[in-house]
Amino acid sequence: MEHPSIPTIYDYFFDLTRGRYYLVMKFIDGGDLATYQRGAGGIIDEATVTRWALQICEVLDYIHTQKPPLIYRDLKPANLMVDARTQRIMLVDFGIARFVAPTQKGVTAVGTMGYAPPELFAGNVGPASDLYSLGATMFHLLTGKDPQDNPLLIFDFAKNPKPREINPAISARMEQIICRAVEHDALRRYPSARAF
């Protein structure tokens, strides 16, 4: 795959003596969003999160439109880096990403609790699964509330505060975007990264 938000892989090899696989990838001069968030005091401003989200949607659109679609399955702040030179978001750690046929069921349930959508644990993944994780990431960056702290209930907004109740600086439109992205029912989420 070739995309400006996916680091180029130059080579790979297996070390027989240690039993390890290695990838030689393009160096990204920067840090991940989790580190960036900690350095910013826990909350990132909406303009920055919006800029990052648009770049993430571009790369998700690219991988989701492959034949068959590639579903990343572990989108979270720690797997997104900002290249300090270009200010571009880089999607790293494709370790659990999988090509998934549109009718394929029973994909291994692997992901990060709190960022992983409900359908992932039933082995049903699709592009909407990555969009849920993007919504969870945006929620975390904008509110400072880590979805991993309350992974099964955090996006039940009948019982838990909506984003603007946590951070009133979030716009009403951004709250709507996040709430739609983390809908329990995948059919109620955005139909694609391009639509997002």
Side-chain angles (χ1 to χ4, degrees):
M1 292 185 296
E2 290 188 29
H3 189 278
S5 288
I6 299 174
T8 303
I9 297 176
Y10 296 115
D11 201 359
Y12 61 93
F13 58 92
F14 180 73
D15 183 339
L16 289 171
T17 59
R18 294 185 179 168
R20 292 185 180 172
Y21 290 93
Y22 294 88
L23 288 176
V24 181
M25 301 174 67
K26 177 182 177 183
F27 176 72
I28 301 168
D29 184 16
D32 63 60
L33 297 191
T35 302
Y36 189 96
Q37 183 178 23
R38 281 191 299 277
I43 294 178
I44 307 296
D45 67 276
E46 187 170 322
T48 300
V49 172
T50 300
R51 188 175 69 252
W52 291 344
L54 289 169
Q55 291 179 24
I56 295 164
C57 283
E58 287 175 13
V59 70
L60 290 178
D61 181 59
Y62 174 77
I63 68 174
H64 292 167
T65 56
Q66 298 298 304
K67 302 292 183 212
L70 177 66
I71 311 304
Y72 184 74
R73 301 195 311 162
D74 200 23
L75 191 73
K76 59 186 177 183
N79 286 344
L80 297 161
M81 293 184 71
V82 179
D83 185 318
R85 188 178 49 79
T86 64
Q87 293 303 298
R88 185 152 203 47
I89 290 291
M90 304 297 290
L91 188 60
V92 297
D93 193 2
F94 277 77
I96 66 170
R98 294 290 177 267
F99 284 104
V100 178
T103 57
Q104 187 175 350
K105 302 284 187 227
V107 175
T108 305
V110 179
T112 302
M113 289 293 285
Y115 294 95
E119 68 270 12
L120 185 71
F121 300 102
N124 301 318
V125 298
S129 304
D130 284 341
L131 300 180
Y132 179 99
S133 299
L134 174 55
T137 295
M138 292 168 67
F139 174 90
H140 185 185
L141 295 173
L142 289 165
T143 65
K145 299 292 181 190
D146 189 341
Q148 293 180 94
D149 295 341
N150 188 9
L152 302 177
L153 301 172
I154 194 157
F155 300 124
D156 179 353
F157 296 124
K159 297 177 183 170
N160 291 295
K162 286 187 169 186
R164 285 169 45 95
E165 294 174 76
I166 301 168
N167 178 0
I170 298 170
S171 69
R173 182 66 182 124
M174 179 60 79
E175 180 175 85
Q176 291 170 347
I177 291 167
I178 292 169
C179 290
R180 182 172 178 189
V182 297
E183 282 279 354
H184 184 80
D185 181 352
L187 296 175
R188 296 178 57 128
R189 296 181 205 141
Y190 292 94
S192 67
R194 187 173 300 255
F196 193 119

